[in-house]
Amino acid sequence: MEKAVPQLPQLLRNIRGCRLCEATLEPHPVLHVSRAARILIASQAPGLRVHKSGQSFDDTSGDRLRDWLQLDRDKFYDDNRIALAAMAFCFPGYDQSGADRPPPRICAATWRMPLIEALT
């Protein structure tokens, strides 16, 4: 029997309340989605600035991406146009050399397919 996918509002509450990585990370899941969006931008994981602001692509990579897409901030952050959901929703921290750690696999393994199914 297939597992039921929660409705999008409940799924978003579950994701935003996620604490799977609490032992190693400070959880602060960041994503911006709606079923009306026709484009899904799936990045790797939020950086520290996004972690602090709670706004996806609130950094120089976001400036570059908006420029490439030729979208102003209002259009880019309109959840009814564009969904923003990384493979991991929390900043993974830094490794010993000061680089961003890769996103924890448990995040995508837990949330990716339910989110995609809820958006279709």
Side-chain angles (χ1 to χ4, degrees), residues 78-94:
D78 180 351
D79 292 353
N80 292 311
R81 292 174 183 252
I82 298 176
L84 305 169
M87 297 305 292
F89 302 118
C90 298
F91 172 59
Y94 297 114

Side-chain angles (χ1 to χ4, degrees), residues 35-100:
R35 289 187 61 130
R38 299 194 36 106
I39 297 171
L40 170 62
I41 296 176
S43 59
Q44 187 172 1
L48 181 58
R49 186 169 171 186
V50 171
H51 174 82
K52 290 179 177 179
S53 74
Q55 180 69 55
S56 295
F57 291 100
D58 187 22
D59 53 20
T60 55
S61 70
D63 295 340
R64 189 175 313 113
L65 179 58
R66 286 186 296 278
D67 185 51
W68 288 341
L69 296 171
Q70 297 180 351
L71 292 173
D72 62 30
R73 289 182 71 88
D74 289 338
K75 288 179 183 162
F76 184 79
Y77 289 116
D78 180 351
D79 292 353
N80 292 311
R81 292 174 183 252
I82 298 176
L84 305 169
M87 297 305 292
F89 302 118
C90 298
F91 172 59
Y94 297 114
D95 65 18
Q96 293 173 333
S97 66
D100 289 0

